Amino acid sequence: MKVKNIITKVLSIALIWIASSCDSYLDVNENPNNPVDAPISGLMINSTYESAVNIFRVGDITSNYVQYLASPNPASSSDTMDPVSYNTTWFRLYNVMTDLIVLIEKAEEEGAGHYQGAAQVLMALNLGMGVDIFGDMPFSESFNFETVTPAYDDDAQLYELVMQYLDDGIANLQGSTTSSLGEDDFIYGGNVENWISFGNMLKARYMLHLKELPGYDANTVISALENGFTSNDQNAQVSFFDEAENPWFDVARDNANLVLGGWISEQFIEATDGTTFGVEDPRLPLMVGATDDDEYIGTVNGAGRGDAPEQGARSTLVVDQFYTSLTSPILIATYSEQKFIEAEASFSIDKARSYQAYLDGIIAHMEMLSVPNEEIDGYIDNPNISMGVDAFTIDDIFKEKWVALFLHPETWNDARRYDYQYENMDLPANLNPDLNGQFIRRLAYPDNEVNRNGNNVPDVTLLDRIFWDVQ
């Protein structure tokens, strides 16, 4: 069942639950409007919804770093990689993890194995997202409400916990249950087989991050993918409603109302209009807006719009495209991404398989965007895309995955693993001088966390790498 078909009554329950959901680990005060004994169905509604919105929240930060988006204002902190305090993103990650801890415990008590398993998969997703952007995080002491200054856990050890949550989640989803998932599941509408595939796909995603570390095994990644998605029909996503608008729609609408945002980087435009790679990508007009002259013109990261007017002369996100309609889905994990994971994992052990997975990943993304078949064929048949197995390189995988994961936070993980070596990806203008002419490697810890828990916050800079980001 697609989420867009869930009845309005369930959505109303979700919105009520979201408004009153549990606070982060720092809020231990009793609240009569925040029920302690929440039903697992309500927790499931909030957790599936908020996990998808967390994908947006993190993607909204990282899309400038990987040059999907560029600020129309010169020297904007979003472009220049300044140490911004992302208090809300930190809070929301902990907010949903708090609910998931409760959901996992209650589901186990009630024998609701499928709820428990789905919650464990979502815990892996949110914890993994947090570690990927911040590194060390409080976890082991964060949810017992015994301290408001929890210790920080090592990022590598937290990744082991991510993998444990995925293994346990898949096992519980494959086992018995006293209660079945249903319309309270905003991702899959209760389809347990899709949850199992999703868990396996996430295992492959997180294992691939460890590619440069001892113990990495490409065959283990491929084995997880064998039990992952089989088509776009299994994409993990939450679709939105009139009552709960897609947040990228809000960005596009705000920009149209001159609350400027969602401007497209020159890097993305030139990578898809034929300038950089010599082939026009039919996806471009389905993903971003044209200028008033029906051209695609990007904005240089860090430089701002210069003397261009506020509207009409630069490409931006516009409403009613695939990513930006009022009811567009937030994509958590896709079949297209899975094929690119397969392409990278198999590149050194089975290059023919890698090449086919690369082509399949492009096609899957184009089909998701409803690119006409003749345009798909024209793009795939171009020798710059179908270069043959012998000429095929790892750069081709990263380039096409970058296009296919438009606006998704996973791309920043790829960019750091790839050391930002995308063709023509230059440092932004007006770069934060503390970066010494280098790209950012992590986010700063939020000001609220530093103020409340400063004795435990690690002393790091924006150039200090997450454990898997091997130099």
Side-chain angles (χ1 to χ4, degrees), residues 105-126:
E105 292 175 350
K106 288 182 65 65
E108 183 175 18
E109 291 171 0
E110 297 177 18
H114 293 176
Y115 278 92
Q116 184 181 1
Q120 288 165 322
V121 170
L122 291 177
M123 179 63 84
L125 172 72
N126 285 277

Side-chain angles (χ1 to χ4, degrees), residues 34 101 142 165 183 192 229 254 364 374 412:
N34 188 4
I101 287 288
S142 292
Y165 271 119
E183 292 175 341
V192 174
F229 298 151
D254 287 348
E374 61 272 18
W412 193 36

Side-chain angles (χ1 to χ4, degrees), residues 130-142:
V131 173
D132 287 337
I133 58 178
F134 291 112
D136 295 356
M137 295 180 72
F139 192 85
S140 58
E141 295 183 0
S142 292

Side-chain angles (χ1 to χ4, degrees), residues 163-439:
M163 300 309 298
Q164 187 63 57
Y165 271 119
L166 288 171
D167 286 339
D168 291 347
I170 291 167
N172 281 317
L173 286 161
Q174 291 172 328
S176 61
T177 188
T178 57
S179 301
S180 297
L181 298 167
E183 292 175 341
D184 51 5
D185 166 15
F186 274 23
I187 297 175
Y188 285 125
N191 188 317
V192 174
E193 293 304 315
N194 284 347
W195 273 102
I196 294 169
S197 298
F198 177 32
N200 280 290
M201 189 276 183
L202 287 182
K203 283 185 65 175
R205 176 193 284 178
Y206 289 115
M207 284 190 288
L208 189 66
H209 294 174
L210 311 179
K211 183 180 174 184
E212 300 303 322
L213 298 179
Y216 168 79
D217 183 359
N219 286 307
T220 305
V221 178
I222 293 170
S223 178
L225 294 176
E226 299 288 353
N227 297 303
F229 298 151
T230 58
S231 73
N232 282 328
D233 290 340
Q234 290 185 296
N235 289 348
Q237 63 185 49
V238 168
S239 297
F240 287 76
F241 299 80
D242 292 345
E243 296 89 344
E245 299 169 349
N246 177 288
W248 288 116
F249 166 81
D250 290 338
V251 172
R253 179 181 57 186
D254 287 348
N255 186 72
N257 292 330
L258 299 182
V259 181
L260 301 185
W263 288 43
I264 308 303
S265 172
E266 180 184 74
Q267 165 72 9
F268 186 78
I269 296 296
E270 293 189 351
T272 51
D273 72 355
T275 301
T276 302
F277 296 101
V279 54
E280 293 185 19
D281 194 321
R283 290 170 287 188
L284 178 61
L286 303 176
M287 298 168 74
V288 306
T291 67
D292 289 347
D293 294 328
D294 202 27
E295 298 177 317
Y296 292 91
I297 302 175
T299 299
V300 176
N301 287 88
R305 69 181 189 272
D307 59 1
E310 293 176 326
Q311 286 183 333
R314 295 288 185 270
S315 292
T316 67
L317 295 177
V318 296
V319 298
D320 293 333
Q321 292 188 311
F322 178 84
Y323 295 94
T324 54
S325 79
L326 188 148
T327 58
S328 288
I330 290 291
L331 303 170
I332 302 171
T334 64
Y335 179 60
S336 176
E337 179 192 348
Q338 179 178 294
K339 297 307 292 186
F340 288 115
I341 293 172
E342 179 185 350
E344 185 180 351
S346 60
F347 184 83
S348 62
I349 59 176
D350 188 345
K351 197 174 179 185
R353 176 175 182 166
S354 173
Y355 180 62
Q356 187 59 56
Y358 150 83
L359 295 174
D360 290 344
I362 299 170
I363 293 169
H365 184 244
M366 289 189 163
E367 290 179 343
M368 186 179 74
L369 268 58
S370 299
V371 176
N373 288 335
E374 61 272 18
E375 294 183 14
I376 296 176
D377 293 341
Y379 186 78
I380 292 294
D381 291 343
N382 189 293
N384 291 312
I385 305 303
S386 291
M387 68 292 294
V389 175
D390 291 341
F392 172 57
T393 70
I394 200 76
D395 299 327
D396 300 312
I397 298 172
F398 274 94
K399 177 259 180 173
E400 285 293 343
K401 188 179 180 186
W402 176 72
V403 175
L405 266 66
F406 185 59
L407 303 178
H408 197 286
E410 179 62 18
T411 309
W412 193 36
N413 301 327
D414 286 344
R416 289 174 289 169
R417 293 192 304 109
Y418 190 45
D419 204 25
Y420 292 91
Q421 293 301 303
Y422 298 99
E423 189 77 18
N424 294 340
M425 183 173 281
D426 299 322
L427 287 163
N430 300 302
L431 179 70
N432 171 12
D434 291 339
L435 292 177
N436 299 318
Q438 302 176 63
F439 284 96

